[in-house]
Amino acid sequence: MAPQSSIQFLDMALDSNSRFSLSYTDPDQRWLIRKHLLSLLHEFPALKLSFDTFIHNDGTNVNLLYAGGVIRVSSSTPLIPLTVWIHQDYPHLPPIVYISPDSTNLIHPDHPFVDQSGSVMCPYLITWVFPESNLLDLTRNLVKLFAQDHPFFCSSPYISFGHPSMVSKMEALDRLVGSIHYDMKAHQAQFEEDMENLSVAQIEMVERVDVATSILIGLDNERCGLKNRVKEWTEKADVMMNWLKVYNTKVDEMRDGFEGADEVSKMVISRLAKDKAVEDLMYALDKALEEGIVTFEVYIRYVRLLAREQFIHRAELVRLKGSKILSWPY
């Protein structure tokens, strides 16, 4: 049975007609609220009755009763400070339930049934139907619910439970909703991670496209440059071909001017060329010796060979044209 002080407080509050009177106008409604609250306090004596002004989300102010206190859901978890406001249209509308976190006990993010403000929204409240639903069964359901997923720390994802005949329909619904909630959060986290990875990949692809575009522009510019150079060299080749067509005969005539008029002249020209070639080769050997490319022994050996060859060429020139040919400036 509920404490006598709670009974007296409840009777006085429901019978008050002052300007602070409660927003429950129907006598039958007041009687039902009294009955349900006393049943709740009988099983959960840690809850205490009080009343205050409640402001709805639409700004409406009403004077409502509430049961506030702590409930224990297990011996290994913190107590949960709970406040259950009795709606002005109770029992046709469900109570309004809040959990009051403090600096040491904060509601963990993404809880399936409690938001960061402490507002509780569970399947029992969502599926509230009078007369099947009532305050006592709601609080019992919250104890089971928070034992499975405590609001002050992140529990493990909902584990599978036993045979359906071993749990109530509401408990099965609670666990199903919790499992779906955590699955959705996991998929959402994976989706956000995938989107972040895709965003990074998109940025990389854009950078690669920019690099590829720059390379293509460079290749196109190079192609245009090569095309212009081919055109330029083609024009120069055409000019050269035209010049050869015009002057080819004259070049042949100039080439003929350096040929000997007879066999003796041809032999003289050949001997002079060979003598000059020997002179150039001996000059090259001198340079190689100065730079240390060849040794002195190699230098002497080849100079002797070249001197013998040059003597033969010059002796032939003297025989053909006389000694004066050696003084020609060639």
Side-chain angles (χ1 to χ4, degrees), residues 110 183-201:
D110 300 327
D183 287 343
M184 289 179 60
K185 290 298 180 181
H187 287 303
Q188 182 180 1
Q190 184 63 46
F191 173 77
E192 292 175 353
E193 181 180 356
D194 292 342
M195 287 299 297
E196 183 177 357
N197 293 335
L198 288 174
S199 298
V200 173

Side-chain angles (χ1 to χ4, degrees), residues 42-60:
H42 176 70
E43 187 163 333
F44 294 94
L47 300 177
K48 305 299 179 183
L49 294 179
S50 186
F51 68 90
D52 202 348
T53 300
F54 185 87
I55 302 176
H56 288 286
N57 292 335
D58 61 0
T60 304

Side-chain angles (χ1 to χ4, degrees), residues 103-321:
S103 58
T104 58
N105 293 312
L106 300 177
I107 298 171
H108 80 78
D110 300 327
H111 193 282
F113 306 116
V114 185
D115 64 21
Q116 291 300 293
S117 69
S119 176
V120 177
M121 185 55 63
C122 62
Y124 194 99
L125 290 171
I126 296 173
T127 60
W128 180 280
V129 177
F130 179 75
E132 289 81 3
S133 304
N134 58 76
L135 283 176
L136 180 58
D137 288 341
L138 167 64
T139 309
R140 289 170 177 170
N141 175 259
L142 290 176
V143 171
K144 293 179 179 180
L145 196 65
F146 294 147
Q148 181 71 32
D149 194 343
H150 200 283
F152 290 155
F153 58 88
C154 188
S155 311
S156 301
Y158 272 67
I159 60 174
S160 60
F161 46 91
H163 192 274
S165 62
M166 302 298 293
V167 297
S168 66
K169 179 180 178 181
M170 184 54 63
E171 185 179 0
L173 180 60
D174 289 341
R175 296 191 180 189
L176 177 61
V177 171
S179 298
I180 293 174
H181 172 83
Y182 283 115
D183 287 343
M184 289 179 60
K185 290 298 180 181
H187 287 303
Q188 182 180 1
Q190 184 63 46
F191 173 77
E192 292 175 353
E193 181 180 356
D194 292 342
M195 287 299 297
E196 183 177 357
N197 293 335
L198 288 174
S199 298
V200 173
Q202 182 182 18
I203 294 173
E204 292 179 355
M205 291 300 296
V206 170
E207 292 176 351
R208 292 182 182 181
V209 168
D210 292 340
V211 172
T213 302
S214 177
I215 292 174
L216 289 175
I217 292 174
L219 290 174
D220 188 63
N221 293 335
E222 186 175 354
R223 181 184 64 83
C224 292
L226 290 174
K227 185 176 180 180
N228 292 332
R229 290 179 64 184
V230 169
K231 182 179 179 181
E232 179 182 349
W233 283 106
T234 301
E235 292 174 353
K236 290 182 178 180
D238 291 339
V239 172
M240 181 62 69
M241 291 299 296
N242 293 331
W243 185 89
L244 288 174
K245 289 178 181 178
V246 174
Y247 295 101
N248 189 43
T249 304
K250 295 182 178 180
V251 170
D252 291 339
E253 292 175 355
M254 292 173 63
R255 186 183 300 113
D256 293 340
F258 292 98
E259 294 181 356
D262 51 29
E263 289 300 323
V264 174
S265 298
K266 292 179 180 180
M267 291 176 64
V268 170
I269 293 174
S270 176
R271 292 292 181 178
L272 288 173
K274 292 178 180 180
D275 181 68
K276 183 63 176 175
V278 171
E279 285 285 342
D280 292 340
L281 186 53
M282 292 178 70
Y283 177 78
L285 283 171
D286 291 339
K287 289 293 185 181
L289 180 63
E290 290 178 3
E291 296 176 1
I293 298 175
V294 297
T295 63
F296 182 75
E297 289 77 7
V298 173
Y299 170 78
I300 289 296
R301 183 169 68 251
Y302 280 101
V303 165
R304 287 175 179 174
L305 293 174
L306 291 172
R308 186 180 300 113
E309 183 179 352
Q310 188 179 44
F311 175 78
I312 294 171
H313 294 320
R314 291 188 176 184
E316 184 66 18
L317 287 171
V318 170
R319 187 184 68 81
L320 292 173
K321 285 294 185 178

Side-chain angles (χ1 to χ4, degrees), residues 59-118:
T60 304
N61 294 344
V62 288
N63 295 326
L64 302 180
L65 282 168
Y66 67 86
V70 294
I71 58 173
R72 181 181 295 279
V73 297
S74 73
S75 59
S76 59
T77 57
L79 296 173
I80 300 176
L82 186 72
T83 304
V84 182
W85 291 85
I86 311 303
H87 196 281
Q88 70 266 24
D89 293 325
Y90 183 89
H92 301 290
L93 289 181
I96 304 166
V97 183
Y98 281 94
I99 289 175
S100 304
D102 54 33
S103 58
T104 58
N105 293 312
L106 300 177
I107 298 171
H108 80 78
D110 300 327
H111 193 282
F113 306 116
V114 185
D115 64 21
Q116 291 300 293
S117 69

